[in-house]
Amino acid sequence: MRGGGLLVAGTTSDAGKSVVTAGICRWLVRKGLKVAPFKGQNMSLNSFVTREGAEIGRAQAMQAQAARVEPTALMNPVLLKPGGDRSSQVVLMGKPVGELSARGFFGGSGGSSPGKALRGGRQKELFEPVMACLEELRSTYDAVICEGAGSPAEINLRRTDIVNMGVARAARLPVVVVGDIDRGGVFAQFFGTTALLSLEDQSLVAGYLVNKFRGDVSLLEPGLDMLYGLTGRRTFGVLPYAHGLGIDEEDGLRVSLRGTVRESVVAPPVGADVLRVAVCAVPLMSNFTDVDALAAEPGVVVRFVDRPEELVDADLVVVPGTRGTVKALAWLRERGLADALARRAAEGRPVLGICGGFQALGERIEDEVESRAGVVDGLGLLPVRVRFGVEKILARPVGEALGERVEGYEIHHGVADVRGGEPFLDGCRVGSVWGTHWHGSLEGDGFRRAFLREVAAAAGRRFVPAPDTSFGALREEQLDRLGDLIEEHADTDALLRLIEEGAPAGLPFVPPGAP
């Protein structure tokens, strides 16, 4: 039996597709349905490793958690990891298969060392495996909630689309378009998005969802009525602006830090002091969600920095993961941050390097894979030498550190040769400088508290970790809030009919249509 489905599209990138998809998944699973998320193609530096060792977008892993199912590669068959303005690593079914220029991926010539699985790297050739994944999910689940990418009205990319209307057309999925009213112009966005689609594509666009509304909904209703008159399509809900929804988002080439820096009010510090954490905003920053768990701690203040002066009053500096370790090293030196980090290490002040940040803290990097820069000197703060291999390491390690059990996940090409220091997860520690390839380790409550106690002692702060902060419970609360937004502010009966029955027949054509 084939399950129902829905495609959540958006008028723009960052309109709220990820959170709406997660909210619908949580609402449906609370109704007793077996539901899965899906995104045919994702562009993000924020990724996750599934239990079977596949790399997928972190947004889909979060949506799987909302659906209370284990994430798999089926939920995000194609992941693009930008390495610059014009090229990305292509990850197919959780494994890297090549590095391609944007022109090479979307249909022109270009690219280097494309994997055989891509047959030259053309996006359209991925359509069949993407649809096979969607069909497999639909044969297993009651409903599959698909997320689009960018806007379905990107008319320059429609011919090779494997994530928006291309998927909707092939699978006969109804489409709901999300618009961010906080940005302004949402009525024009809804109308223009619909009017730039072909007759066949428009027949699947069932209506709209307004996101991030502030104020009295009654003032918006005349506009929604006029929109219905212009398009023949209804609005399925008006979702209010919700503060503090720090859930994992995509980033493309632009990192959105809203998921890390909390907008919500947190409890006061337990001890006499707060702990200040400065995160170096390195180029191509990846998995910046590693510091989410720190930001959730009462009394921990997290900020992203790009100047050495901003490290002076920090109790902990984090050098995060990056898709370009050599590029990040050059940036740290150009900005004067490298010297500031060296001074901190000499003074015994805490520094934590994660993945690419760990590699940068080492003595030497040999890279003929990512940057092809050859041998490059690291910052020399840890006795580690890194050699980049062609094969990407994808793993879900479990270990122990600071007397606590630790779980994490690894996503890296660099292989570390640790030549001294105290063991720390898969890396090492020298004084108050720590380094590890493990992402996600700070989400473990016991380990995070033990690590923060070490940082506070080294920084001379009277900071005390809260004894009852559960990062897992906080994440569940956020996902429940997303489900509540859908349940309380959307027409759930109408959404359920769409999922089960598809788009209504006879939706009018809005001219001019696709060029």
Side-chain angles (χ1 to χ4, degrees):
M1 181 178 176
R2 193 187 197 202
L6 177 71
L7 176 71
V8 178
T11 56
T12 62
S13 294
D14 205 27
K17 297 182 294 289
S18 295
V19 295
V20 168
T21 300
I24 292 174
C25 285
R26 179 49 61 101
W27 157 62
L28 288 173
V29 79
R30 292 196 306 207
K31 283 181 64 66
L33 275 70
K34 187 179 180 185
V35 59
F38 177 80
K39 185 165 187 174
Q41 173 195 306
N42 201 341
M43 177 175 278
S44 180
L45 289 171
N46 222 16
S47 60
F48 180 77
V49 178
T50 67
R51 293 205 180 278
E52 69 266 27
E55 184 180 10
I56 66 172
R58 232 189 123 89
Q60 278 61 65
M62 175 272 296
Q63 290 161 358
Q65 186 177 351
R68 296 178 180 149
V69 295
E70 191 65 35
T72 73
L74 293 172
M75 298 170 184
N76 180 208
V78 180
L79 173 64
L80 307 180
K81 301 196 72 175
D85 289 341
R86 297 186 178 181
S87 67
S88 293
Q89 182 181 69
V90 182
V91 179
L92 177 62
M93 292 304 295
K95 305 296 180 184
V97 294
E99 191 88 17
L100 284 172
S101 68
R103 185 176 180 84
F105 184 74
F106 288 108
S109 61
S112 58
S113 303
K116 292 181 181 179
L118 284 180
R119 299 180 180 272
R122 302 295 184 262
Q123 183 191 36
K124 62 184 179 182
E125 295 181 23
L126 297 174
F127 187 71
E128 187 175 331
V130 164
M131 293 308 301
C133 290
L134 176 56
E135 288 305 308
E136 185 170 344
L137 289 174
R138 293 187 75 182
S139 69
T140 307
Y141 291 88
D142 299 324
V144 179
I145 308 304
C146 307
E147 180 187 346
S151 163
E154 290 168 350
I155 53 180
N156 55 315
L157 303 178
R158 177 62 184 90
R159 182 175 58 85
T160 55
D161 172 45
I162 63 171
V163 65
N164 289 308
M165 300 310 300
V167 169
R169 280 269 291 276
R172 303 307 301 169
L173 292 174
V175 178
V176 172
V177 181
V178 178
D180 179 359
I181 197 170
D182 197 50
R183 294 180 175 185
V186 75
F187 293 116
Q189 292 169 23
F190 283 145
F191 180 86
T193 297
T194 309
L196 279 176
L197 301 179
S198 68
L199 173 65
E200 294 81 2
D201 286 354
Q202 285 192 28
S203 70
L204 296 172
V205 177
Y208 315 107
L209 262 175
V210 176
N211 191 30
K212 298 183 184 177
F213 180 72
R214 306 173 192 251
D216 185 346
V217 176
S218 66
L219 299 177
L220 190 66
E221 288 171 350
L224 301 179
D225 292 338
M226 286 185 272
L227 182 66
Y228 179 81
L230 288 166
T231 66
R233 287 158 176 85
R234 56 167 302 181
T235 299
F236 289 94
V238 177
L239 308 183
Y241 194 104
H243 291 276
L245 290 178
I247 58 113
D248 303 337
E249 300 183 48
E250 298 171 12
D251 50 54
L253 288 174
R254 176 186 58 81
V255 172
S256 166
L257 303 180
R258 286 196 303 277
T260 305
V261 182
R262 300 281 182 248
E263 297 171 306
S264 54
V265 177
V266 296
V270 175
D273 291 341
V274 299
L275 210 61
R276 296 171 177 84
V277 178
V279 184
C280 296
V282 295
L284 299 174
M285 192 190 321
S286 61
N287 290 73
F288 56 86
T289 46
D290 280 329
V291 297
D292 263 8
L294 296 180
E297 280 283 347
V300 175
V301 180
V302 176
R303 67 181 188 270
F304 286 75
V305 304
D306 60 4
R307 295 182 302 178
E309 298 84 3
E310 295 176 292
L311 304 190
V312 174
D313 67 342
D315 302 306
L316 169 67
V317 174
V318 177
V319 187
T322 171
R323 172 83 164 85
T325 302
V326 171
K327 183 179 288 188
L329 262 172
W331 181 87
L332 289 168
R333 289 181 168 123
E334 290 165 3
R335 296 285 179 129
L337 289 161
D339 290 339
L341 288 168
R343 287 193 296 271
R344 287 186 66 89
E347 295 165 0
R349 303 176 67 201
V351 176
L352 170 64
I354 302 174
C355 200
F358 165 44
Q359 297 166 3
L361 296 181
E363 298 171 347
R364 190 180 75 183
I365 293 170
E366 184 180 342
D367 181 11
E368 299 292 350
V369 175
E370 190 175 79
S371 68
R372 301 184 182 179
V375 177
V376 177
D377 288 335
L379 299 183
L381 305 186
L382 290 175
V384 176
R385 296 185 178 183
V386 176
R387 184 177 184 275
F388 276 67
V390 175
E391 296 297 319
K392 181 183 281 192
I393 296 171
L394 299 168
R396 289 280 292 269
V398 177
E400 184 176 309
L402 305 180
E404 298 287 345
R405 185 176 186 273
V406 187
E407 295 184 37
Y409 58 98
E410 295 183 65
I411 307 169
H412 55 95
H413 284 277
V415 178
D417 176 13
V418 180
R419 301 187 166 201
E422 301 175 41
F424 177 70
L425 303 178
D426 70 330
C428 65
R429 171 187 183 178
V430 175
S432 291
V433 180
W434 294 266
T436 177
H437 274 127
W438 291 20
H439 295 288
S441 62
L442 294 168
E443 294 181 13
D445 300 325
F447 171 69
R448 183 179 64 255
R449 292 180 194 127
F451 178 71
L452 290 176
R453 282 193 288 269
E454 292 264 342
V455 168
R461 294 288 186 188
R462 293 173 297 167
F463 169 84
V464 178
D468 55 355
T469 301
S470 168
F471 184 74
L474 289 172
R475 176 58 56 88
E476 278 297 303
E477 287 175 12
Q478 290 169 329
L479 294 173
D480 273 330
R481 288 182 63 198
L482 293 179
D484 293 342
L485 281 176
I486 298 299
E487 196 165 342
E488 295 170 10
H489 300 282
D491 186 339
T492 52
D493 290 338
L495 286 177
L496 194 56
R497 281 195 300 274
L498 280 181
I499 292 167
E500 293 175 343
E501 302 172 11
L507 291 167
F509 173 69
V510 180

